[in-house]
């Protein structure tokens, strides 16, 4: 009787673990990119993530102009934006990317004052890139980020 009880108890403990192994609701390993469909004020925003072992290990969020120049490298733009809004692309892009990395796509993203438009775009792009990662679809997804 003890032996049967032990076997049944073992089966009850192992069954949920086996069931969980069959589910694939997490992120698939690979690189994923979501990009704005259109340029806004001369820039097209994008997010690229790297997923390894089902976890986000790297996030790049930025924008590029038509020639491929990266927004956070533009010192003139940085000085103007910092003077006008109190923040600049190299600050808020890293901040938003780090929040996505730390929260693994599960938590909200706090906005930085002065970069609320980019915050809204970031959230739209983040949802899209996470969906690509769940599907394991590494094609670049173009997203309507107008808000």
């Amino acid at each position: 009787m003890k032996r049967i009880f032990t076997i049944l108890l073992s089966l009850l403990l192992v069954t949920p673990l086996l069931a969980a192994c069959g589910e694939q609701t997490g992120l698939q390993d690979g690189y994923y990119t979501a990009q704005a469909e259109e340029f806004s004020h001369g820039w097209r925003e994008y997010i690229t993530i790297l997923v390894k072992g089902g976890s986000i290990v790297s996030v790049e969020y930025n924008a590029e102009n038509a020639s491929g120049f990266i927004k956070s490298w533009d010192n003139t733009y940085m000085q103007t934006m910092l003077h006008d809004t109190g923040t600049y692309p190299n600050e808020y892009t890293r901040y938003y990317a780090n929040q996505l990395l730390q929260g693994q796509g599960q938590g909200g993203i706090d906005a930085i004052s002065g970069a609320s438009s980019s915050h809204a775009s970031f959230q739209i792009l983040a949802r899209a890139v996470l969906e690509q990662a769940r599907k394991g679809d590494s094609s670049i997804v173009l997203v309507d980020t107008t808000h």
Side-chain angles (χ1 to χ4, degrees), residues 65-81:
N65 65 16
S67 67
F69 188 72
I70 302 298
K71 188 176 193 177
S72 63
W73 299 348
D74 189 332
N75 286 327
T76 304
Y77 189 93
M78 179 189 75
Q79 292 298 325
T80 302
M81 187 172 178

Side-chain angles (χ1 to χ4, degrees), residues 5 9 34-35 65 73 76 87 130-131 140:
F5 179 73
L9 183 58
Q35 184 178 61
N65 65 16
W73 299 348
T76 304
T87 190
L130 290 169
E131 182 59 31
I140 296 174

